[in-house]
Amino acid sequence: MDRKLLQQTDASTFWSELRRRGVVRAGGVYVAAAFVVLQLGEIVLPAFNAPDWVLQSLVIFVFLGLPVILAFSWVYDLTADGLTRTGALVRQGKGTVVPQLALVGVTAVSGALGVLWFSQSALTAPDGGSAVDAPAPGVASFATLDPNAPITAVAVLPLADFAEDNDFFARQLHEEIITQLSLLTSLRIVSRTSVERYATTDKLLPEIAAELRVQAVVTGSVAMTTESDSVRISVQLLHAPSDTHLLSRTFQREMKDILRLQTEVAVEIARTVQGELGADVIDEVAQIAEVDPEAHRAFLIGQEELQGGTPGGLEAALEHSDRAVRIDSTFAPAWAQWAGARLVMAHEGGELSTEELARVQEALRRAAAFGGAEDEVAAGLVLLEDYLAAGDGSLGEELERATDSIGRRYVWESTRIGRRSRPPSRSLAAARFLEAGQFDSAAAAFTRIVEAEPRADPAWSGLETTHLLQGNYAGAVDVRSDWILATRGDSPESRAAVQDMREAFDPNDPKSYWQWRREYDSARLGRGERVSDVEVALTAVGLGDIEAALLRLESAVQKRDPALLAIRNNPLWDPLRSDPRFQEIASSMRDLWRHGGDGQGGPRDGPPVEREGSRGPG
């Protein structure tokens, strides 16, 4: 028999042996079953928020299981008596021995590869929690939920809307929950504009959390119908990097209790994250007034029009706000919105008659008396003060308030009326990029500002912060060098300060950057220059001196330093947010912003604060 005939005989014998032992049948059944299992896994696992490595592991093990099944079926048969060893051929040659050895070898190699892949991939995946690489500097990375680790930052994602009409109700409710949560806690709450891009996304929560530099994420939905007199809000608070539920609640109230409901949702989230809230907060929630559902709907439509930014939107906001107060004359937010919209129109060129001016003042008085719209009332008073100042008018004794730079900045940045009366500044727009974790866009925006306005301190500070949040201390040093030269002039003193910084900075020791900043600020104070307590406090945070940082912040509150507004959304302050003294500072600042004086609406304590200007780094 020649060699070719021998090879054909061996192949025919091997194929016959495969069929006799049921290997072909077993392989076909396994492939069909594996296909069904993988299809089910692709559907079921995401529904339970399973990490990616679970499905990947299933695919790998299904693939590696095929040679194991083939080898097993070569040796055993499934009969009525159970598993029995398959009998060997009477005439056995090397044509059958070689395949047996090959199958054994493939099975061993497959098993070894499976074990190696699982140990190298699944067990070290971030969601697995068994082994985690050290996080890169400046990048939020969390693998497991540590019940003792404080949560300092929260993002409230857009609510899924199950309403039957326009989704403006869900959008406005989402914004209100964010606002209330910001007022109730010292947490860093990511703004609505920064989370809107996640309304439709396939990103996992750990990815979103890392981009926004938060530890907790709120998701939820709102359901209502045009005929129903009730609304249901479902919320889930999750420790985002580990996908662990901290809170899952459903709230349902009649529409007349919507104002209380949105505050209750924020209170529940705040209580879960930051612990028990003060009795005054609970009392305030209990005292929130009911509102007529139709009045609230008209108010929301007016609010949507107000935020649209068009002249026609202002007219529509006035009409809907007026309709809301005619339906419910005790609805404070609608009174404040009507007055604010009319004042914005006046600032954009429309004069107020004596009768209209009196009506605006009366609307603000009513909004203040009924309560529940303190920030928007403050914004209206600032606009009214500016309007009357231009005509040598007076607010009147009942509305008198101090409106220094900190109050004004809060109004422009944090209220609907304030934002509508002034288009967002370029610095604020750049800060939104920074808050959203879009560092390249933030750096480009801040750079454009300082190129056009070399003495724009807020933009320089934002550009430096962009580098610090990424752990790029060398980049922060470069920005600080340019900042000093741009705002203090290219003098021998400035060049010496830059040279000292570069000599003191050690790229392998980020702390050296903060040590230089402390020495630089001390030198400026020694020369009698004004240095913000807030900047000195941030340097102390960088050095880990929490006590010194808190003392400086308390001093800044007494001085009403406008730079305090930066602590609300800047992640560099996160190490302090769980400290009770920091929480007290945040609470006292809210009173100062709202009332424009000593927290009780009285005259401002302490020395006058100079207006913002170019003072160089500091």
Side-chain angles (χ1 to χ4, degrees):
M1 185 178 294
D2 60 20
R3 181 181 299 274
K4 183 176 181 181
L5 182 59
L6 180 61
Q7 291 174 344
Q8 291 175 347
T9 302
D10 285 345
S12 177
T13 302
F14 177 54
W15 177 251
S16 298
E17 186 69 356
L18 286 175
R19 297 182 64 184
R20 186 183 73 85
R21 291 173 178 265
V23 174
V24 176
R25 183 178 68 253
V29 172
Y30 180 83
V31 170
F35 178 79
V36 173
V37 169
L38 291 177
Q39 290 296 310
L40 288 174
E42 190 175 5
I43 296 172
V44 173
L45 290 176
F48 289 92
N49 294 320
D52 288 344
W53 68 263
V54 176
L55 184 57
Q56 294 169 357
S57 300
L58 182 61
V59 173
I60 294 296
F61 284 127
V62 164
F63 176 77
L64 296 179
L66 179 60
V68 176
I69 290 297
L70 296 178
F72 191 82
S73 62
W74 178 276
V75 179
Y76 294 98
D77 277 337
L78 182 62
T79 68
D81 298 327
L83 286 175
T84 60
R85 191 177 183 83
T86 306
L89 283 173
V90 176
R91 183 178 65 82
Q92 191 168 1
K94 69 177 182 179
T96 59
V97 173
V98 172
Q100 291 182 55
L101 294 176
L103 283 172
V104 171
V106 169
T107 301
V109 170
S110 299
L113 289 175
V115 172
L116 178 63
W117 179 87
F118 187 75
S119 63
Q120 292 292 321
S121 180
L123 290 179
T124 58
D127 291 321
S130 298
V132 184
D133 294 334
V139 178
S141 178
F142 307 89
T144 57
L145 176 60
D146 179 359
N148 297 318
I151 292 176
T152 59
V154 176
V156 183
L157 300 186
L159 301 174
D161 177 42
F162 298 131
E164 293 181 353
D165 54 358
N166 193 294
D167 66 347
F168 75 89
F169 179 79
R171 293 199 306 272
Q172 299 298 344
L173 185 60
H174 172 235
E175 181 174 3
E176 194 60 35
I177 290 174
I178 290 175
T179 300
Q180 292 295 327
L181 199 53
S182 299
L183 294 174
L184 289 170
T185 71
S186 61
L187 301 169
R188 177 168 56 86
I189 308 299
V190 181
S191 69
R192 178 184 59 85
T193 53
S194 296
V195 298
E196 279 182 332
R197 59 194 173 112
Y198 299 107
T200 55
T201 181
D202 57 358
K203 291 185 177 181
L204 299 176
L205 286 180
E207 296 178 79
I208 297 174
E211 290 178 2
L212 296 175
R213 306 179 68 85
V214 301
Q215 302 93 356
V217 172
V218 176
T219 62
S221 63
V222 54
M224 60 173 292
T225 63
T226 53
E227 296 82 12
S228 174
D229 64 349
S230 68
V231 59
R232 184 175 68 252
I233 303 174
S234 297
V235 295
Q236 298 83 40
L237 173 66
L238 304 101
H239 180 261
S242 65
D243 244 358
T244 304
H245 274 76
L246 303 177
L247 171 70
S248 183
R249 282 283 308 275
T250 297
F251 303 80
Q252 184 158 356
R253 299 285 186 278
E254 294 182 6
M255 274 299 298
K256 64 182 181 180
D257 286 325
I258 184 61
L259 301 181
R260 185 178 302 163
L261 172 59
Q262 60 197 23
T263 305
E264 285 179 352
V265 172
V267 166
E268 193 67 24
I269 296 170
R271 182 186 287 122
T272 302
V273 174
Q274 200 160 290
E276 287 299 320
L277 303 176
D280 56 332
V281 173
I282 308 303
D283 292 341
E284 184 176 336
V285 174
Q287 294 171 12
I288 294 177
E290 296 178 350
V291 59
D292 184 282
E294 283 302 313
H296 187 253
R297 187 171 281 109
F299 164 74
L300 289 181
I301 297 173
Q303 188 169 273
E304 188 91 345
E305 295 286 357
L306 180 68
Q307 293 173 307
T310 63
L314 283 174
E315 291 283 1
L318 277 174
E319 292 176 8
H320 289 292
S321 300
D322 186 61
R323 178 169 176 265
V325 296
R326 280 190 279 108
I327 295 172
D328 186 345
S329 61
T330 64
F331 190 17
W335 281 113
Q337 184 168 274
W338 185 90
R342 188 63 190 90
L343 285 166
V344 171
M345 292 178 69
H347 276 270
E348 292 182 356
E351 291 292 329
L352 288 174
S353 66
T354 303
E355 181 181 345
E356 288 177 317
L357 178 60
R359 188 179 175 191
V360 166
Q361 291 175 317
E362 180 60 24
L364 290 174
R365 288 191 188 95
R366 292 194 179 196
F370 294 135
E374 287 79 7
D375 286 350
E376 298 300 325
V377 170
L381 290 175
V382 170
L383 287 175
L384 180 57
E385 181 183 57
D386 289 347
Y387 177 82
L388 293 174
D392 297 323
S394 171
L395 281 171
E397 189 174 326
E398 293 181 59
L399 298 176
E400 194 65 49
R401 60 177 278 116
T403 51
D404 59 9
S405 54
I406 188 172
R408 288 175 176 274
R409 278 189 56 182
Y410 177 73
V411 162
W412 305 142
E413 297 176 13
S414 305
T415 66
R416 296 184 182 93
I417 293 298
R419 289 192 296 266
R420 180 60 182 83
S421 64
R422 285 193 176 186
S425 66
R426 290 185 297 169
S427 290
L428 184 57
R432 294 302 188 202
F433 286 127
L434 189 60
E435 182 186 39
Q438 298 173 290
F439 295 119
D440 291 343
S441 298
F446 282 125
T447 299
R448 286 194 294 270
I449 295 172
V450 298
E451 286 176 348
E453 304 174 47
R455 300 182 67 83
D457 288 338
W460 281 112
S461 179
L463 184 58
E464 183 181 46
T465 300
T466 302
H467 290 288
L468 292 175
L469 289 177
Q470 298 176 86
N472 181 12
Y473 285 87
V477 167
D478 291 339
V479 171
R480 179 64 68 143
S481 300
D482 294 340
W483 186 0
I484 291 173
L485 295 175
T487 58
R488 305 184 71 82
D490 188 8
S491 64
E493 182 185 60
S494 298
R495 289 195 296 272
V498 170
Q499 182 65 26
D500 289 345
M501 176 179 61
R502 295 194 175 278
E503 291 177 354
F505 175 64
D506 179 0
N508 298 316
D509 180 17
K511 197 172 184 178
S512 63
Y513 166 81
W514 297 107
Q515 289 171 335
W516 172 85
R517 276 186 57 162
R518 181 173 60 185
E519 294 171 1
Y520 179 65
D521 290 340
S522 297
R524 292 175 61 200
L525 288 168
R527 294 194 296 268
E529 298 180 20
R530 181 180 180 274
V531 180
S532 168
D533 282 321
V534 178
E535 178 167 3
V536 177
L538 182 58
T539 300
V541 172
L543 292 171
D545 191 347
I546 303 303
E547 176 64 22
L550 291 171
L551 287 173
R552 283 290 185 173
L553 287 179
E554 289 167 348
S555 173
V557 171
Q558 292 297 317
K559 298 176 182 177
R560 297 180 58 81
D561 189 339
L564 280 166
L565 287 169
I567 75 174
R568 294 183 303 153
N569 298 319
N570 189 338
L572 293 176
W573 295 99
D574 285 359
L576 296 185
R577 296 189 190 279
S578 59
D579 190 285
R581 286 172 62 188
F582 184 86
Q583 295 168 13
E584 182 63 29
I585 290 169
S587 177
S588 63
M589 284 163 50
R590 284 192 293 272
D591 289 338
L592 291 173
W593 294 332
R594 282 187 172 190
H595 301 294
D598 59 2
Q600 305 298 324
R604 180 163 48 90
D605 290 331
V609 180
E610 58 182 288
R611 297 282 180 176
E612 295 177 82
S614 298
R615 293 186 296 271

